[in-house]
Amino acid sequence: MALLSMIGYVVLLLVISAVHTHRRKRYDASEEFLIADRRLSGGMSALSIVASFIGGGTILTNTALIFKYGYYALPYMCGLPMGMLFFMLIAPKLQEQAHGEKWLTLYDFFQSRYGTLSKHLVAVTQIISIALIVSVALIGGAKMLQILAGYSYVTSVFLMAGIVGTYLVISGFSAVVKTDMIQAGFIIVLFGGLLGFTALYPVPEITYEQMNFQDMSITVCILMTVITLLYMFGAEDLFQRVYATKNKKALKKSLWIAWALYLFFYICLMYSVFTFKALYPQLQGDMAFLESIKLLIPPYYQWIASIAVMSVLLSTIDTFVFNGVLNINKLVMDIRGSSADHKTLTRRTRWGVPLFLLVVVGVSLFIQSVVHTTFIYAVFISCNAFIVILSFLFPKMDKWYAVSILVTNGVLLLGMAATLGLSEKLVVVPFGAVIIGCLAAFIVKKTALRKMAKARG
């Protein structure tokens, strides 16, 4: 039943993409393919934001952290909804510039603000980050199919990639938005249902100490919370929805709806996971959440859980695959000095999707760890977020500060990963990158100015 339900769901997504493409084929739909004609309504944009964000990485990483650290993970969970409130302060300005300058990706913002060098550095980090987050979703989706449908891990990875690749090649970003509406609906159903089910489910008497939680360093807890507050300022998927929303009124509506749904999602998630931990205190790791669903939900309802969880995972994969391919094509065309017109971008993005997915499939087969991959992704995204925030706080900040922070972040990440391994301790990297990078840029600029003054004197 679970297998047939997932097949039916996939067919529905493909039909939606095909019908939408047939309706649009009468005219040049390049802008539609790339950015949905910049005509998204507030409601559609909100559902797309929620579906793109609440994906495999979000659910599996957050639940793994709660299963491991208990109450220490709660500030981290609260940071993301709060971060959306702060992001609302700059979103209208971003949208105004994006519509005026025809931005498509996050690094278009960096090009406009800091020039070509910083843009290229951001493009490279975004491509790496996007590949990592797609890998997280593929890993989670494959393990979900293992648990709920009995497929092998390798088969499941290729199956998830094939589904997304098919409807993205058909309709591009427009397909992402259309399918996001359905996926967001399943996300709401899944977590609303989980909240109700776990609230009514009989839980044994068990103390917090008996749940086998581990302690987390207070410093790491604070830094992780700050990173979640900043996350929205470096999120490629959120920037793209801001660009695609039709006007400021619709944008404001979309962000408030998205914030309310985020808050609902995290309340449901936290309550459900603590209930699961009380029921199954021995569970821990990436797949503890899915294993709990498998153990708790009666077999005749697991087909609903299968569709809902698959929807959650696909919503991340399609968004970031499209963004990754678009970033790669814009970067290559820019380096070659060729014009990045929308027709050429549409053609190259459409045929770049399968190639990008093959690379991500390779990463997913090699790593097979959700949490570790997410830590690296968070370091890249939070560094970009710092620069975006600093650009609004300090209008005179120039490209050398941005470049110094980006380079320092990469060096520190490689150094810490090599010496300390992949863990939550990597959260210190973007903070160190901002301090060291700004200091280095300040010293270099002061030295250059002194040399120029002496030369003139």
Side-chain angles (χ1 to χ4, degrees):
M1 188 65 180
L3 177 60
L4 291 175
S5 301
M6 286 188 282
I7 291 173
Y9 174 68
V10 170
V11 170
L12 175 62
L13 296 182
L14 296 178
V15 169
I16 290 171
S17 299
V19 170
H20 181 74
T21 301
H22 176 72
R23 290 177 178 176
R24 293 287 184 178
K25 71 179 181 179
R26 297 179 182 177
Y27 67 91
D28 175 21
S30 297
E31 189 82 353
E32 172 75 15
F33 185 91
L34 295 172
I35 201 73
D37 277 344
R38 303 185 195 273
R39 295 189 304 180
L40 292 186
S41 66
M44 186 178 292
S45 178
L47 291 175
S48 186
I49 290 170
V50 170
S52 65
F53 173 74
I54 302 175
T58 307
I59 291 175
L60 299 180
T61 301
N62 287 326
T63 55
L65 289 172
I66 298 176
F67 269 101
K68 185 176 182 179
Y69 294 113
Y71 290 145
Y72 284 100
L74 296 189
Y76 172 85
M77 306 296 151
C78 297
L80 286 160
M82 289 297 296
M84 174 63 82
L85 296 178
F86 291 124
F87 181 79
M88 291 181 191
L89 299 175
I90 69 165
K93 181 65 175 178
L94 281 176
Q95 185 193 58
E96 181 182 348
Q97 290 184 269
H99 284 202
E101 300 178 29
K102 301 297 181 183
W103 293 350
L104 295 173
T105 63
L106 173 63
Y107 90 72
D108 286 326
F109 164 83
F110 279 83
Q111 179 180 22
S112 177
R113 181 67 173 79
Y114 297 114
T116 302
L117 181 57
S118 64
K119 176 189 70 172
H120 288 171
L121 289 172
V122 169
V124 171
T125 59
Q126 284 297 104
I127 291 166
I128 295 171
S129 302
I130 288 167
L132 289 172
I133 200 63
V134 174
S135 298
V136 167
L138 276 179
I139 293 166
K143 291 185 177 182
M144 180 208 73
L145 288 175
Q146 273 187 301
I147 293 172
L148 298 178
Y151 289 151
S152 71
Y153 180 78
V154 174
T155 300
S156 300
V157 166
F158 279 102
L159 181 60
M160 296 286 287
I163 294 166
V164 174
T166 301
Y167 68 75
L168 279 183
V169 168
I170 294 173
S171 296
F173 184 73
S174 185
V176 172
V177 173
K178 297 296 181 184
T179 55
D180 276 351
M181 296 179 66
I182 297 173
Q183 290 159 349
F186 276 114
I187 289 169
I188 295 168
V189 169
L190 170 65
F191 286 96
L194 269 179
L195 178 64
F197 189 80
T198 52
L200 297 174
Y201 199 86
V203 180
E205 292 287 337
I206 185 170
T207 65
Y208 182 82
E209 289 72 23
Q210 292 174 315
M211 293 187 190
N212 300 320
F213 291 120
Q214 298 180 24
D215 290 336
M216 178 190 288
S217 163
I218 296 298
T219 301
V220 171
C221 181
I222 293 171
L223 293 181
M224 287 180 68
T225 302
V226 173
I227 280 182
T228 58
L229 282 169
L230 301 178
Y231 175 85
M232 300 296 181
F233 293 87
E236 177 91 26
D237 50 329
L238 182 55
F239 272 66
Q240 198 170 35
R241 270 75 185 166
V242 170
Y243 300 169
T245 306
K246 61 184 179 181
N247 54 44
K248 289 184 179 180
K249 181 179 179 181
L251 176 63
K252 183 177 180 181
K253 177 182 177 182
S254 71
L255 293 177
W256 277 111
I257 294 173
W259 174 80
L261 292 175
Y262 281 158
L263 194 61
F264 171 76
F265 161 74
Y266 275 110
I267 291 171
C268 295
L269 186 73
M270 289 185 286
Y271 186 89
S272 300
V273 173
F274 274 103
T275 302
F276 289 157
K277 188 66 174 177
L279 292 168
Y280 313 110
Q282 75 282 1
L283 289 181
Q284 198 174 94
D286 295 354
M287 294 299 109
F289 179 71
L290 295 179
E291 290 170 356
S292 299
I293 291 177
K294 176 75 173 179
L295 291 169
L296 189 66
I297 296 179
Y300 46 85
Y301 285 131
Q302 286 185 5
W303 66 274
I304 300 176
S306 300
I307 296 176
V309 175
M310 187 177 210
S311 183
V312 167
L313 297 166
L314 287 176
S315 68
T316 297
I317 299 172
D318 59 15
T319 293
F320 285 98
V321 166
F322 185 82
N323 288 343
V325 176
L326 187 59
N327 272 279
I328 291 171
N329 281 301
K330 282 176 61 64
L331 178 61
V332 170
M333 293 174 73
D334 185 60
I335 292 173
R336 289 180 176 178
S338 55
S339 176
D341 63 276
H342 286 184
K343 286 186 178 180
T344 305
L345 273 175
T346 298
R347 184 177 68 254
R348 294 188 179 184
T349 300
R350 176 173 275 123
W351 298 113
V353 166
L355 298 176
F356 186 80
L357 277 167
L358 282 176
V359 173
V360 174
V361 164
V363 174
S364 303
L365 295 176
F366 176 75
I367 297 179
Q368 299 190 23
S369 172
V370 171
V371 176
H372 289 168
T373 309
T374 304
F375 286 142
I376 303 173
Y377 169 76
V379 170
F380 282 125
I381 293 299
S382 54
C383 179
N384 293 342
F386 266 123
I387 298 173
V388 171
I389 293 169
L390 290 173
S391 71
F392 280 92
L393 293 177
F394 305 102
K396 293 183 179 181
M397 178 179 166
D398 63 20
K399 65 179 180 180
W400 298 114
Y401 285 92
V403 170
S404 296
I405 293 171
L406 289 166
V407 172
T408 304
N409 191 66
V411 172
L412 289 178
L413 174 60
L414 290 174
M416 282 199 66
T419 55
L420 301 177
L422 301 178
S423 71
E424 61 273 11
K425 294 179 181 178
L426 291 177
V427 297
V428 304
V429 169
F431 296 92
V434 170
I435 296 170
I436 297 171
C438 286
L439 183 61
F442 178 79
I443 293 172
V444 169
K445 288 189 68 178
K446 283 292 184 182
T447 304
L449 288 173
R450 286 175 183 173
K451 287 182 178 180
M452 289 174 62
K454 286 183 180 180
R456 290 173 182 173

